[in-house]
Every structure is written in structure tokens, then in C-alpha cells.
Amino acid sequence: MKTKTEKNASGLTMKHKIGYGLGDAGGCMTFAIMGSTFAMYCTDALKVDTELLAILLAVWNVWDFINDPLMGAFMDKAFAKKHNSKGKFRPWLLRSSPLICVSFIALWSVPSLFEGLSLICVLFGLKILYEGAYTMFNIPMGSLLSAMADNDKERATLSSARGFGSAVGNAVPVMLMPMLIKKFGQTNATGYAVGAAICAVIGFAMCLGHYAMTEERTAPVNENQEQQNIKITDILNVFRVNKPFLALCIHGLCICTMQYVSNTITNYMFSVVYDDIALVTYGSVVSAPFMMVTLLGGPYFAKRFGLERFIRFGLLVGSVMYIGLFGLHMVMNVNPYVHMIISNCAMGLASVSIYMQWGLVSEAIDYNEMITGKRTEGSIYGTFNLSRRVGQTIGNSAAVLMLGWAGYNADLAVQSATTVSGIKIIAVLLPGIFVLGSWAAFRFLWNMDAETRSKIDEFKKAQKEQ
């Protein structure tokens, strides 16, 4: 008896590729604002103290630490017990999409109706609700790649499609929000609420498109999967035996710390150092063509040089550019457009790893099945996502905390020279250091070679023949 559903004879279709890309596009329509604008919404519009906000961000993300791997393990265990005819992951996409939309709009509008402790409590609860809904969508969306792609070429193609979706989903809100904030005022909650509502509705439509246009082509349907005795604690053994997965988790921590430090502080960089927050929008426009070229060439470069080597190159060059830009800031007044071009190119090169890493995650999932005999996409993707959440927590909380240490005060028309210098360090030097850490994880820990990949291919062939 076959252990897998019959694979489409035509392979991945354009519909599959567009549909998979819509997943990250829809998710990032809301999630990108959390990284780029949430801190400013809290400090400037809601008047939350920076130290209190740093603590709140840490507490919120502790929930995510628990939430992500548990959600993945729950999906694995639920499917092992009762096979859903609509798939292992796709049903969760339909359940979570409306929850994301409603909770996100509430998060960016309702707290401004309260003051003091009531404001903090409402803000806290709505953030927990949104993050839970987002996890319910993001874990199956990410895990879906391994159920749609069955070889390196398909993984690179879907990773590139996801990269395009992520680029679009990140670009639209990052361009829209600064313009609305400038129009309504940095301390006026209205602009934040309007932008959040627009992005949430667009993101909801994209998420529905993701559900409608994807298919679990290689999803396991082994009738004996219940006897595999899948346990939530299985993930602890993965760290011991799966070195490539360990490298991915360290990479995820470092790259997301970089991303969230940069995203959190960029608005402050342009509003304080260059006195024009609208420049953030122009920066996104400048970086868009660069990102499109990188993503279009991603599958070719991955095939030509290897996906891991391609990612490693982008990380190293991106780190050098960040650190070089910081050196320029230390010896001269850098023109805002020069800063914009160099920083966006550095972020773009480093982000190659974010957009193309999903193929490596699927490879680690296959490797794990070969050495443990269990296929637990949800648990592994959920734990990888946990490492990214840790990085997001460090980046988010540390950036806000260091902003307070630098002396930032939203009520001041002009910030002190010490504050300006501190913002430059947070916005440019720290990202460069963490990108270098991500490069080191692939350089010194990743050990997937041609021989190992050959063994995985043989294992998968044997599985299909059963």
C-alpha cells in the first residue's frame, strides 16, 4: 500500500507557486508592521515608557516561545490520530486567517480608547490574541513547503515564491505606514489605526488566496503513522542528532535579531537623525528592484553554487556593508540617501537567507525523518520558528531598551547628540554583528554534503516504493 498521496503528474504549477507566495505576502502584511512600527505606536501614540515596553515585549514573546513548537507538535499529533481529507496543514490556514485580521485591527485601534493601567492591560491581551492567531497561520503555512515540494528544485522554486510574497508583504506596509504617520502625526493614534486596518484586510484576502491555490502534493498519509508514537518531546532529540537543524536555529536567532533591531529602529533613525520619517518609504522603493533581482536569480544561483553557499555569501557581504556603513557614520555626516542605499543593500543581501532558508528547513526535515524514522514537519518547523521568535524578542526588546538608554524622549522636538549617536549604533552596527553570527552558523555548523543528500534521496525512494 502506498504511504503517500499520488503526486501531480504535472509537478508544481504556476497556481501552486503564486498560491504559496501569497501565504507569506498575507502574513507579512500585518507582521511587518509589528516589526517596523509597533514600538513607535506604543512609545509615541500610546505613551508607553520604553523600559516598560521592553519588559512587555519580552513577556509577549515568552508566550510565543511556548506557542510555536506546541502548535507544530499539536498539528503532527492531531494528523497522526485522525487524517483530515483536506490535508495536514491547509485546514489551519482557513481557521486562522479571519482571527489574524480581526485581532490585528483591534490591537491598533482599541488601546487608544483607554488610559493608564487599563490601556496596558488591553494592549497586552490584544497582542497575545494576535500573536496566537498569527502562529496558527504561520506554522502550517511554513510547514506546507515540505508537503508541496519533493526535490531540491521544487524547494528552491517555492522558497523563491515565498521570498517574492514576503518582499511584497513587507514592502506595502513599510511604504504605507510612514506616510500615514506623517499625515496624521507621529503622536496621533489615528494614522496607525488606519494603516493597520488597510493592511489587515489586504492580508486577509491574500491568506484566503494562499489556501485556495495550494495543495498538499506529498503529504504523508501512512496508515501506520499512529504507531510511530509521535511525542511532543521528540524535538529535544532533534537538537542532539540533527546538526543542520541546529545550524538553522542559530541562524534563525541571529538573523531575526538583526531584522528586528533594524526594523524597530529604522523609523527612529530617519525621524531623529534625518528629521523626516517619510524617507523610510523612499528607502523601501529604492530597495524593491534590488530585492526582485535577487529573488529572480535565487533559484539559478542556488542551483549553480548550492543554496547554502548562496545564502552564506549574501550574509558575509551584507555584514561587511553594515559594519562599513557604521564606520562612515563615525567619521562623517552620511547623506540620508547614501545611508538609505547602503543599508538597504546590506539588508537585501542578508535577507537572501530569510527568503531562501525554507528549502534548507525542508532538507533538515527529510534528514530528520531518515535518522529518526519519524516525519514531524510541524514540530521541526515550529521549533525553528521558536528560534526566530527568540531573535525577534531580543531584537525588539533590546532595540527599545537601548533606545531608552540612549535618552530618547518622544516629547522632545530635538533629541540630544548622545541619543543620535546611540541610534546610529543600534541601527547600523548591531545588525552587522548579528548578520556575521548567522554567517558563522552556516560556515562552522552546517554539515549537509553531497553524500548525505544522496542517502536522503535513496531513503525517500525506498519510502515511495513501500
Side-chain angles (χ1 to χ4, degrees), residues 78-79 82-89 91-92 95 216 221:
F79 189 78
K82 185 178 180 181
H83 300 309
N84 191 322
S85 60
K86 294 183 180 179
K88 181 177 182 179
F89 305 112
W92 295 97
R95 296 164 186 159
E216 297 189 31
V221 292

Side-chain angles (χ1 to χ4, degrees), residues 34 38 54 71 157 162 173 242 246 290 337 370-371 390 422 430:
M34 297 303 298
F38 186 68
M71 183 64 195
T157 298
R162 180 173 179 172
N242 195 332
L246 178 61
F290 176 81
Y337 293 98
M370 182 181 72
I371 60 178
V390 173
L430 282 185

Side-chain angles (χ1 to χ4, degrees), residues 1-4 80 83 220-227:
M1 182 176 290
K2 292 185 179 181
T3 59
K4 295 188 178 218
H83 300 309
V221 292
N222 190 336
E223 292 180 358
N224 296 319
Q225 192 172 7
E226 294 88 344
Q227 273 64 58

Side-chain angles (χ1 to χ4, degrees), residues 152-153 156-157 160 290-314 349 352 356 360:
D152 290 342
K153 182 180 178 181
T157 298
S160 184
F290 176 81
M291 290 306 305
M292 290 300 106
V293 170
T294 301
L295 289 168
L296 280 171
Y300 168 76
F301 290 119
K303 182 179 179 181
R304 177 72 176 80
F305 301 106
L307 184 55
E308 178 267 332
R309 289 181 64 192
F310 176 48
I311 287 174
R312 200 168 66 195
F313 172 80
L349 285 166
V352 167
M356 301 299 292
L360 297 183

Side-chain angles (χ1 to χ4, degrees), residues 22 67 74 108 121 127 149 271 349 380 388 395 438 451 459:
L22 283 174
N67 190 21
F74 178 75
W108 290 80
C121 291
K127 179 75 159 57
S271 66
L349 285 166
I380 290 180
R388 299 174 70 234
S438 184
E451 182 181 353
F459 171 78

Side-chain angles (χ1 to χ4, degrees), residues 75-139:
M75 287 189 301
D76 287 332
K77 199 165 184 65
F79 189 78
K81 287 184 176 180
K82 185 178 180 181
H83 300 309
N84 191 322
S85 60
K86 294 183 180 179
K88 181 177 182 179
F89 305 112
R90 292 178 65 252
W92 295 97
L93 304 174
L94 198 59
R95 296 164 186 159
S96 57
S97 297
L99 293 177
I100 292 175
C101 182
V102 173
S103 62
F104 191 74
I105 292 173
L107 175 61
W108 290 80
S109 57
V110 176
S112 62
L113 303 176
F114 297 84
E115 294 181 354
L117 181 60
S118 297
L119 183 153
I120 298 299
C121 291
V122 171
L123 181 70
F124 182 87
L126 289 174
K127 179 75 159 57
I128 289 286
L129 183 61
Y130 165 74
E131 293 292 352
Y134 183 80
T135 296
M136 191 186 294
F137 177 84
N138 189 55
I139 298 299

Side-chain angles (χ1 to χ4, degrees), residues 262-305:
S262 181
N263 289 346
T264 300
I265 213 70
T266 292
N267 284 343
Y268 296 97
M269 179 73 185
F270 283 100
S271 66
V272 172
V273 178
Y274 294 120
D275 197 31
D276 188 357
I277 193 173
L279 287 172
V280 176
T281 298
Y282 306 149
S284 299
V285 172
V286 168
S287 64
F290 176 81
M291 290 306 305
M292 290 300 106
V293 170
T294 301
L295 289 168
L296 280 171
Y300 168 76
F301 290 119
K303 182 179 179 181
R304 177 72 176 80
F305 301 106

Side-chain angles (χ1 to χ4, degrees), residues 26 28-34 36-38 41 101 104-109 169-185 188-204:
C28 287
M29 284 298 297
T30 59
F31 204 67
I33 303 177
M34 297 303 298
S36 64
T37 313
F38 186 68
Y41 166 61
C101 182
F104 191 74
I105 292 173
L107 175 61
W108 290 80
S109 57
N170 278 286
V172 173
V174 169
M175 288 190 286
L176 176 65
M177 289 300 286
M179 301 301 289
L180 289 170
I181 293 170
K182 185 174 182 179
K183 176 180 174 60
F184 287 95
N188 188 338
T190 303
Y192 299 91
V194 170
I198 293 171
C199 291
V201 172
I202 296 173
F204 176 58

